[in-house]
Amino acid sequence: MDSEDAFGYVESYRPGRGRRPARASFASSLPSLELDGTWRFRLAHGLSDLTPGFEAAEFEAAGPEAADDAAARGWTDLPVPSLWQLHGHGSPAYTNIVYPFPVDPPRVPDANPTGEYRRAFEVPADFPLGPGATLRFEGVDSCFAVWLNGIALGDGKGSRLPTEFDVSHALRVGPNVLAVRVHQWSAGSYLEDQDMWWLSGIFRSVRILTRGIEDFFVHADYDAETGTGTLRVDTPHAATLSVPELGLEHADPAGPHVLAGVEPWSDETPRLYQAELVADGERVPLRIGFRSVAVESGRILANGRPITFRGVNRHEWHPRTGRTLDRATMLEDVLMMKRHNVNAVRTSHYPPHSEFLELCDTYGLWVIDECDLETHGFERVGWRGNPSADPAWREAYLDRAQRTVERDKNHPSIIMWSLGNESGVGENLAAMAEWIRTRDGSRLIHYEGDRESCAYVDVFSEMYTGFEAVKLRGLAQEAPTADSAHDAHRRALPFMLCEYAHAMGNGPGGLREYRDMFDAHPRLAGGFVWEWIDHGIERTDANGATYYAYGGDFGEEVHDGNFVADGLVFPDRTPSPGLLDYKRISEPVRVSCDTETRTLTIENRHHSRDTGYLTWAWQVEGDGVLIAQGTLDVEPIAPGSSATLPWPEQAAQQPDEPGDAVTEHWLTVSGALAKPEPWADAGHEVTWGQAPAHTPEPVASRLSPAPATSLPAHAAPATPAAIHLGNAEFDAHHGVLRKIGAIGLDGPRLDLWRATIDNDERTIYGTPLATTWRAAGLHRLHHKTLSVEPSASGLVVRERVTAAGVDHGIDATYRWAAAAAPTAGDGDETLWLTLELQPYGTWPCSLPRRGVALSLPGALDQVEWFGEGPGEAYRDTGAAVRVGRFRASVAGMQTPYVRPQENGNRRAVRWARFTGADVGGRGGNGVTGASGLEILGAPHTNLTARPWRTQALDAAQHRHELHPDGLIHLYLDDEHCGIGSAACGDPLPASEHVQPTPATFTLGFRTV
């Protein structure tokens, strides 16, 4: 190569030179050489900083300490596969849309970090060196050139796709040296503007293969009406096919073989037939899944039956290794998805590691396999110069489509090919679709970016569409397009949300509303939550605390902050509350318990599986304490059918204690795996339902005190410093509660602010909630005491709550009274607070929350409560919680979002007890004379307990910045604003806002 040829490939539109044709990924009995391991590595600043002659076999790559050859210095060791920025060479950078370099295609900056790699390896004497010898890279980001023993092999682009080179002329027995030059930026980077970290290197495996069977294409169709499978395997070789389970032995692969009574593959029953392709002594194992995919009457059919996607979008990510994943991590993802009722994955926004698709085949997940294509950054320049519409990029577009389809074509889990993501419109996309449809007509074609015409796709796909608009699409009543033919075509297509319910931080909200619309309208094929995992990069601070870094933490010139942390699982793959909600919303079998009719309805929403794999159990609890339990005998229910049966006798009868006005009885019915499944152990809960079995008299009437004038006389004597009411002590100047019994307190006082969640801070619609809240001063409220009035019936405190510089606020009246505890035989006195709120002035916004804040001694860090749990819940989240009695530490009640924010609310709490570490005992908590404090709702309250104040939570940008301050901070809310997914999705509906209207609510406090 001359100098221009040597580097011209970096900014060339061409996808590569010297590469072998794309083909399927498969195992073979022929020998191979694995080249993963430790390589020598040097990071150059750009093309002007390259090492002369580094590709020569005799070159010595010395460390930084070498002094004899300046050109050879600066080399170190680097594992392959890996991404070099995660090993201290340069820094990660995150952007969502904007390119981190000037938009001047196909040019890239001179400052172009370039990794030089060398790998010495031995070829044994018996390794075949014939024309089949092939060097295969599974993934290199973003552009690279290759030499073997100093001989140039070629170059390639397309980071998440395999590239193969013929090495038959360069490979030799004995010592060999492979040299690879990898460029961070190239013309290909314009096609890889996916919403993720910009990272570089040889990040998937490298090996030398012996090619015998060049390629094959398995076609395994299924006729749902007859149960017949039709099998043929296209291969250019003279080969034989054996499928012992189907009676095929050494058969002609081309067939076609018509086979009666085959079991189809689906996500619910992922039936795979083991097979083998043999040619010239080479054996290739196959796993064949029979299935059919079609669109009929506006519905997606799999094996002849309509399917609804309960899907997730999945980037490849690990907090320490980035997009370099091992099989164990991929398996963990698949098993977690199955255990949380997910049935489909969109591989956003590139083909995943091929082993992930094998796992989807094995365990059962439908896959939308997406091409390695996104040009979203062109949106920022009005789509001028977008490669999708530029003929110069046609070859690169087709190359990426072909390499995706050819590599993955034999996976039965793939139900759609996706052209890419957010790449505008243009003829290059149409050309991709045409080629794919010609090559593989057995699957559907997806692309979201052409929402107007849908001219070359089989589904009408959108992202982050709001509730009302989704409903209109379900009715095929969306706004018409300008072209009547395109409009008619689009209305005939099924509608799918390829992204929705943005799971950034605390959220997503509104999952149930979406699910109910999917249920109600056959045209709606479901959707894929954005996204599976938070892309935090694991870091450790100076004190050894682990946290997760996000955009901006590495000094990026442009970045999109924590927008990269928007997953259903945290970076360490701990499920978030959002994933638990999604599991509940996505139950393939649903249980409803009707209190009025004392019946259970079990609805099987499976695509093809009956409910015989589940075992059913029930229990009745009184105030969260188990009273009775048993099992249910439920005959298998066919897919698409339901059954109604009576409650268990013990659950249907009234409580044994006539006139009991205290105990709440709740029936819970659970469906769990009767036997182990490949993805979960026996006993794993798939579905559940709950309903009140006995509701006593209205809870408010038995807990709330009577009006103050009719309370038993409890004088409130005052001193210059304090006012006493029962066993409570108040500050005489401000009327603030300071002590109950021996427990010191601070508060409660009216509090309206929450540590803003990501959905408060960002929105694609109008002004973010947090902006309006801050403009109203809700984060900096002042309390002005107007009066403190003790009397024989209690204590009345009036105050005005407002912020500097505004003329609106809330007048709060605290009515305190002491009364006997509601539970018979309990001699402790209960201190009751009725808080009356009257807004004044013209309010410009809704409220984050409406409640009170108070602080307890830090030793009272163990919590038991009766209400909803065990996890957090808000007005539009919490599908996963149930009514019961729960225990946790205050630390354990925190949800560790990557960027700290409002979290941990427990909803519908009847009572909560705060004690020391010896829960249920006395002493040991640093509080003299009492074990703890009980909070009573009247009837319910929202409860949040934290080891730090809201202000500290609001200020922190990473988890490790939060430190307990020695107190327990309680937030008791009458109402709390919804969650939504406005950071990238639909804003909150009006019903989820908390309006500044008059309100009254009651709480009780007593020592225990």
Side-chain angles (χ1 to χ4, degrees):
M1 295 182 183
D2 58 32
S3 177
E4 183 176 354
D5 284 339
F7 305 125
Y9 65 91
V10 175
E11 294 184 344
S12 171
Y13 294 107
R14 292 176 301 187
R17 298 174 297 178
R19 305 170 306 157
R20 302 197 74 160
R23 61 173 184 152
S25 176
F26 58 90
S28 168
S29 63
L30 296 180
S32 63
L33 297 173
E34 300 296 324
L35 298 183
D36 291 355
T38 301
W39 291 44
R40 297 294 284 166
F41 176 80
R42 174 181 177 268
L43 183 62
H45 299 299
L47 298 183
S48 62
D49 184 36
L50 301 180
T51 304
F54 97 105
E55 69 276 9
E58 61 275 12
F59 178 83
E60 292 294 333
E65 71 284 352
D68 53 341
D69 185 354
R73 292 200 300 267
W75 291 77
T76 187
D77 288 342
L78 184 71
V80 169
S82 72
L83 295 148
W84 70 57
Q85 291 90 345
L86 299 183
H87 289 266
H89 305 284
S91 297
Y94 166 63
T95 63
N96 171 27
I97 298 174
V98 64
Y99 288 107
F101 46 78
V103 181
D104 185 23
R107 300 180 182 88
V108 294
D110 292 336
N112 187 0
T114 298
E116 297 176 326
Y117 292 80
R118 285 176 58 87
R119 174 72 155 88
F121 62 97
E122 294 282 329
V123 174
D126 59 350
F127 190 85
L129 299 179
T134 299
L135 173 64
R136 182 179 177 95
F137 293 85
E138 296 291 347
V140 183
D141 194 326
S142 72
C143 168
F144 67 111
V146 188
W147 295 260
L148 180 60
N149 298 321
I151 299 172
L153 301 180
D155 55 73
K157 302 184 186 77
S159 298
R160 267 63 67 176
L161 292 161
T163 304
E164 290 187 337
F165 299 97
D166 181 359
V167 294
S168 59
H169 61 298
L171 192 67
R172 59 198 182 200
V173 172
N176 289 259
V177 175
L178 179 63
V180 184
R181 181 174 284 144
V182 180
H183 307 273
Q184 178 164 356
W185 310 124
S186 69
S189 300
Y190 286 98
L191 306 185
E192 297 176 3
D193 189 31
Q194 292 95 337
D195 174 11
M196 60 185 184
W197 291 97
W198 294 94
L199 297 167
S200 318
I202 305 173
F203 73 98
R204 289 183 185 160
S205 290
V206 184
R207 58 179 59 89
I208 291 177
L209 308 171
T210 305
R211 287 171 64 136
I213 295 176
E214 286 287 321
D215 199 9
F216 58 90
F217 193 169
V218 176
H219 302 270
D221 193 25
Y222 176 73
D223 187 323
E225 292 187 6
T226 65
T228 299
T230 302
L231 174 64
R232 80 174 196 273
V233 179
D234 297 339
T235 178
H237 301 273
T240 62
L241 173 68
S242 296
V243 191
E245 291 179 274
L246 297 175
L248 291 180
E249 296 288 346
H250 310 297
D252 179 1
H257 303 283
V258 180
L259 306 159
V262 300
E263 300 174 52
W265 188 99
S266 73
D267 66 295
E268 297 169 0
T269 54
R271 181 65 161 94
L272 294 170
Y273 290 88
Q274 305 301 314
E276 188 175 63
L277 196 63
V278 178
D280 298 328
E282 179 184 10
R283 297 180 177 275
V284 173
L286 308 182
R287 301 194 305 163
I288 297 172
F290 292 88
R291 52 108 181 95
S292 63
V293 182
V295 170
E296 291 184 14
S297 302
R299 302 206 69 176
I300 298 175
L301 304 184
N303 302 331
R305 296 181 62 88
I307 188 168
T308 301
F309 295 118
R310 310 184 303 271
V312 294
N313 285 274
R314 175 187 176 269
H315 270 290
E316 295 188 300
W317 189 253
H318 189 282
R320 291 188 293 277
T321 62
R323 284 188 291 279
T324 298
L325 301 185
D326 59 17
R327 182 180 177 85
T329 300
M330 291 183 271
L331 176 59
E332 184 178 3
D333 281 349
V334 169
L335 294 180
M336 286 183 68
M337 290 175 189
K338 293 291 292 184
R339 291 167 185 165
H340 289 87
N341 296 329
V342 170
N343 74 346
V345 182
R346 176 175 173 235
T347 69
S348 50
H349 298 295
Y350 43 83
H353 195 294
S354 57
E355 282 196 56
F356 179 77
L357 298 176
E358 293 175 12
L359 293 168
C360 293
D361 294 341
T362 301
Y363 293 94
L365 288 168
W366 294 110
V367 175
I368 297 180
D369 195 5
E370 195 145 86
C371 189
D372 189 9
L373 174 65
E374 181 167 334
T375 66
H376 203 176
F378 283 89
E379 182 183 48
R380 293 295 180 89
V381 295
W383 293 107
R384 292 185 300 276
N386 183 26
S388 297
D390 185 344
W393 295 93
R394 178 72 56 86
E395 181 186 1
Y397 271 60
L398 286 172
D399 175 78
R400 289 173 184 245
Q402 292 162 2
R403 289 159 68 193
T404 299
V405 172
E406 297 297 355
R407 190 198 74 165
D408 297 341
K409 58 184 178 278
N410 295 321
H411 290 284
S413 56
I414 297 174
I415 193 170
M416 293 187 206
W417 302 112
S418 180
L419 305 182
N421 186 65
E422 294 175 320
S423 296
V425 295
E427 288 304 311
N428 293 339
L429 292 161
M432 293 170 72
E434 182 181 3
W435 184 90
I436 293 172
R437 192 166 275 115
T438 300
R439 178 60 170 148
D440 178 22
S442 70
R443 296 175 172 99
L444 308 181
I445 294 178
H446 168 269
Y447 178 65
E448 177 270 342
D450 183 17
R451 295 179 293 275
E452 287 296 310
S453 73
C454 295
Y456 37 81
V457 297
D458 299 306
V459 292
F460 175 20
S461 177
E462 289 184 334
M463 53 176 67
Y464 309 113
T465 307
F467 300 143
E468 290 303 314
V470 169
K471 180 179 178 180
L472 289 175
R473 283 147 180 74
L475 297 168
Q477 293 176 0
E478 63 268 20
T481 62
D483 186 301
S484 59
H486 285 162
D487 187 64
H489 167 70
R490 193 181 70 174
R491 291 181 193 277
L493 299 178
F495 177 81
M496 184 187 81
L497 286 168
C498 65
E499 296 177 22
Y500 80 111
H502 190 251
M504 185 177 183
N506 188 337
L511 288 172
R512 189 182 300 276
E513 287 83 352
Y514 279 113
R515 186 202 68 182
D516 290 348
M517 284 188 290
F518 298 158
D519 291 350
H521 304 290
R523 186 194 188 197
L524 302 182
F528 295 76
V529 169
W530 185 268
E531 66 166 307
W532 176 244
I533 189 169
D534 289 337
H535 302 201
I537 295 178
E538 186 177 285
R539 287 292 182 263
T540 303
D541 71 6
N543 297 318
T546 298
Y547 68 98
Y548 295 105
Y550 48 75
D553 288 336
F554 299 96
E556 300 102 308
E557 180 181 2
V558 292
H559 66 85
D560 284 291
N562 68 313
F563 206 68
V564 76
D566 48 11
L568 290 170
V569 300
F570 298 126
D572 63 358
R573 285 179 162 75
T574 300
S576 75
L579 180 59
L580 301 182
D581 276 7
Y582 197 44
K583 175 188 177 182
R584 173 81 164 125
I585 291 297
S586 301
E587 289 171 339
V589 180
R590 297 187 198 156
V591 183
S592 56
C593 309
D594 191 307
T595 301
E596 184 175 342
T597 63
R598 292 298 203 256
T599 57
L600 306 173
T601 300
I602 299 175
E603 181 185 8
N604 184 1
R605 300 189 66 85
H606 273 300
H607 170 263
S608 53
R609 190 177 196 185
D610 69 33
T611 62
Y613 71 103
L614 296 175
T615 185
W616 298 91
W618 63 270
Q619 66 177 29
V620 174
E621 294 174 310
D623 282 1
V625 177
L626 183 65
I627 295 174
Q629 61 184 340
T631 59
L632 293 172
D633 185 12
V634 181
E635 290 295 319
I637 302 167
S641 300
S642 63
T644 299
L645 56 155
W647 281 13
E649 183 178 350
Q650 299 96 318
Q653 66 189 13
Q654 292 296 316
D656 292 335
E657 310 86 16
D660 177 19
V662 176
T663 305
E664 288 188 60
H665 288 200
W666 284 79
L667 168 68
T668 305
V669 177
S670 173
L673 296 182
K675 297 184 297 185
E677 296 272 338
W679 43 271
D681 294 332
H684 168 79
E685 186 177 71
V686 173
T687 182
W688 61 273
Q690 188 181 57
H694 165 61
T695 303
E697 64 179 279
V699 184
S701 68
R702 63 183 170 86
L703 286 185
S704 301
T709 55
S710 63
L711 282 171
H714 286 277
T719 69
I723 298 172
H724 296 273
L725 181 62
N727 66 345
E729 179 181 300
F730 295 81
D731 174 87
H733 298 290
H734 302 290
V736 176
L737 179 63
R738 298 303 187 197
K739 185 182 292 187
I740 296 181
I743 299 176
L745 300 171
D746 183 13
R749 302 188 84 177
L750 178 65
D751 193 62
L752 304 179
W753 186 250
R754 73 180 182 191
T756 55
I757 65 173
D758 292 313
N759 293 326
D760 298 337
E761 296 286 359
R762 297 170 178 260
T763 183
I764 57 176
Y765 301 96
T767 303
L769 276 174
T771 300
T772 63
W773 291 342
R774 289 194 180 96
L778 300 186
H779 62 308
R780 50 182 178 82
L781 294 175
H782 296 274
H783 293 253
K784 169 64 176 177
T785 304
L786 302 178
S787 65
V788 178
E789 303 171 0
S791 71
S793 60
L795 175 67
V796 178
V797 179
R798 292 181 173 86
E799 67 175 12
R800 175 159 283 198
V801 182
T802 187
V806 303
D807 62 355
H808 60 268
I810 292 180
D811 286 329
T813 301
Y814 303 77
R815 299 189 184 277
W816 291 98
T823 305
D826 191 338
D828 288 342
E829 198 169 51
T830 301
L831 181 68
W832 291 100
L833 166 64
T834 296
L835 181 57
E836 301 168 356
L837 304 178
Q838 182 64 51
Y840 68 88
T842 301
W843 274 79
C845 64
S846 63
L847 304 178
R849 44 182 288 268
R850 183 172 60 221
V852 296
L854 66 153
S855 298
L856 308 179
L860 301 180
D861 63 351
Q862 303 298 310
V863 191
E864 182 180 14
W865 74 96
F866 175 45
E868 293 185 0
E872 72 181 27
Y874 294 83
R875 297 180 88 172
D876 58 342
T877 70
V881 303
R882 62 189 77 184
V883 175
R885 187 179 294 209
F886 306 99
R887 290 185 176 91
S889 66
V890 170
M893 295 177 77
Q894 312 310 302
T895 304
Y897 294 112
V898 169
R899 185 189 74 81
Q901 54 198 274
E902 162 63 36
N903 72 91
N905 183 66
R906 267 59 179 183
R907 194 172 58 185
V909 172
R910 281 74 162 165
W911 55 258
R913 296 179 185 132
F914 289 81
T915 59
D918 57 335
V919 176
R922 293 280 175 176
N925 57 15
V927 178
T928 304
S931 218
L933 181 71
E934 183 173 68
I935 311 293
L936 300 170
H940 303 155
T941 186
N942 288 271
L943 167 70
T944 304
R946 299 194 184 105
W948 37 69
R949 295 182 186 275
T950 293
Q951 291 82 354
L953 183 64
D954 210 13
Q957 295 300 304
H958 301 86
R959 299 181 191 177
H960 70 297
E961 299 168 14
L962 287 168
H963 304 283
D965 61 11
L967 297 173
I968 302 301
H969 301 280
L970 303 187
Y971 300 89
L972 308 173
D973 292 343
D974 170 50
E975 296 285 359
H976 197 114
C977 183
I979 297 300
S981 60
C984 191
D986 205 38
L988 285 169
S991 61
E992 304 301 341
H993 290 272
V994 178
Q995 301 300 333
T997 55
T1000 300
F1001 58 96
T1002 299
L1003 299 166
F1005 305 85
R1006 62 178 175 177
T1007 58
V1008 292

